[in-house]
Amino acid sequence: MTSYAAAGVDIEAGDRAVELMKSRVARSRRPEVVDDASGFAGLFDASAFLRYRRPLLATSTDGVGTKVMLAQRLGKHDTIGIDLVGMVVDDLVVCGAEPLFMTDYIACGKVVPERIADIVGGVADGCRLAGCALIGGETAEHPGAMGPDEYDLAGAGTGVVEADELLGPDRVRPGDVVLALASSGIHSNGYSLVRHVIKTAGLDLERELPELSRTLGEELLEPTRIYSLDCLALIREVEVHAFAHITGGGLTANLARSLPGTVDALLDRGSWTPPAIFEVLAGHGGVPQSEMDRTFNLGVGMCAVVPADQADRALALLDGRGVPAWVLGEVVPGTGVARYR
């Protein structure tokens, strides 16, 4: 007999996944979230915006790229959702916006309830770390288009910022200092190159390399550090002119997006030592420094541009919040580029 199940779509498995994820999603709730009995939409009480003089809504959407392929290969699915949140909310906070809520979308070849619950649970955990709510999502089963163990995920987030507190290039001045906020590792960019190095060098994901304190697979699946609450705390206590989220394109390309055309950022490559995983990839893959620079964050996940007299205070605040940070460089007259000295 022909049926949806015979075509490869298991509605009951989807319902089971929803039940398994409910408790973890609930932990990401904010007071402004309003329940929709139908479950077709996520609701957020916009009266919260009344405290703003001129609220601007900010939105961002992203995925986690081919890092999902390593999660699938290693059978570990409970942290990839944290990566998704980091990619979305830390784009929002660059302009000074407070992330409010997210929705997610998962496409898979076969709904395995426990696996879907792990993925969404990771998204909820990331939202909790970011101070935002996971208010909705969708899981779609695509048999035939994807293998039974394959999936991909994406998300969208919304935040709010006061119009006259919007951060960005127009605030940056010569004499400002560039602070680096340490990454937790590779985050979620450059994994096509990572997988190429693994394949060509014959690296074993289960192997403990001497440069690392754990297996290569564990290192590569380290979740993205989420900076949104740290950046918001910095804004409240320190004069911040701009942030730059260091994702695809590397440090200099992303930082340049937060500079006006009248200045340059001069960076000191000797101010930090990139985490060992980058040395592993460069060494085993024969990847030149220029390619490492434009592909990976190299240990810097976020930059903050502040006045020079605010730098020590900013570093102390970040240290108190457990975020390693240091002076990366300075802003000088120029043409809008970020470069190493």
Side-chain angles (χ1 to χ4, degrees):
M1 182 177 67
T2 301
S3 65
Y4 212 7
V9 177
D10 189 339
I11 295 174
E12 287 74 19
D15 293 340
R16 171 65 177 156
V18 171
E19 288 301 315
L20 289 174
M21 70 179 72
K22 275 184 176 179
S23 62
R24 291 180 70 178
V25 171
R27 291 201 289 269
S28 75
R29 190 180 180 94
R30 285 177 56 123
E32 302 93 340
V33 175
V34 177
D35 291 320
D36 170 27
S38 72
F40 282 99
L43 302 177
F44 193 89
D45 186 355
S47 67
F49 301 153
L50 294 175
R51 70 178 185 269
Y52 291 84
R53 298 180 302 280
R54 185 188 168 203
L56 300 180
L57 292 181
T59 185
S60 177
T61 186
D62 211 338
V64 294
T66 62
K67 188 172 184 175
V68 296
M69 298 176 70
L70 292 181
Q72 293 159 19
R73 184 171 165 183
L74 290 166
K76 181 173 173 56
H77 315 287
D78 59 343
T79 60
I80 199 73
I82 297 176
D83 292 296
L84 177 65
V85 176
M87 292 298 97
V88 172
V89 301
D90 288 334
D91 276 357
L92 290 175
V93 82
V94 165
C95 70
E98 175 191 358
L100 299 174
F101 57 83
M102 273 193 66
T103 56
D104 63 13
Y105 176 81
I106 302 170
C108 62
K110 178 180 176 58
V111 170
V112 178
E114 292 76 14
R115 182 166 63 204
I116 297 299
D118 274 349
I119 297 168
V120 177
V123 178
D125 289 344
C127 285
R128 182 174 48 80
L129 292 170
C132 67
L134 179 60
I135 65 171
E138 174 70 12
T139 299
E141 201 166 21
H142 292 170
M146 306 177 79
D149 293 324
E150 294 179 336
Y151 62 83
D152 197 9
L153 68 158
T158 298
V160 62
V161 60
E162 193 73 75
D164 61 7
E165 296 175 3
L166 193 68
L167 303 182
D170 60 309
R171 292 177 178 254
V172 177
R173 300 286 185 270
D176 284 350
V177 169
V178 180
L179 305 181
L181 282 63
S183 70
S184 56
I186 300 175
H187 286 184
S188 296
N189 297 102
Y191 274 82
S192 292
L193 179 54
V194 169
R195 292 184 302 105
H196 178 74
V197 170
I198 290 171
K199 181 178 180 179
T200 57
L203 297 176
D204 182 356
L205 293 175
E206 303 292 343
R207 177 185 170 193
E208 290 191 14
L209 297 177
E211 301 94 332
L212 307 175
S213 59
R214 50 185 170 174
T215 68
L216 177 60
E218 289 171 332
E219 185 71 32
L220 294 176
L221 285 187
E222 176 66 30
T224 301
R225 174 171 270 148
I226 295 176
Y227 301 95
S228 57
L229 291 181
D230 304 306
C231 290
L232 292 173
L234 207 58
I235 292 168
R236 287 192 298 269
E237 301 295 331
V238 175
E239 182 184 346
V240 178
H241 289 167
F243 289 115
H245 188 196
I246 311 305
T247 55
L251 179 54
T252 55
N254 282 283
L255 181 54
R257 295 167 62 181
S258 294
L259 300 176
T262 55
V263 304
D264 288 350
L266 297 183
L267 310 180
D268 182 1
R269 196 187 286 274
S271 65
W272 88 104
T273 301
I277 183 59
F278 298 107
E279 178 187 344
V280 169
L281 293 171
H284 285 273
V287 184
Q289 186 64 54
S290 60
E291 196 67 17
M292 295 294 292
D293 286 345
R294 72 176 189 170
T295 305
F296 299 113
N297 66 56
L298 297 182
V300 180
M302 181 73 76
C303 288
V305 181
V306 303
D309 62 2
Q310 300 278 301
D312 288 344
R313 187 177 175 193
L315 291 174
L317 184 149
L318 292 167
D319 181 67
R321 295 182 63 86
V323 182
W326 62 94
V327 174
L328 177 63
E330 61 177 338
V331 176
V332 300
T335 59
V337 300
R339 53 191 170 89
Y340 294 104
R341 299 177 190 273

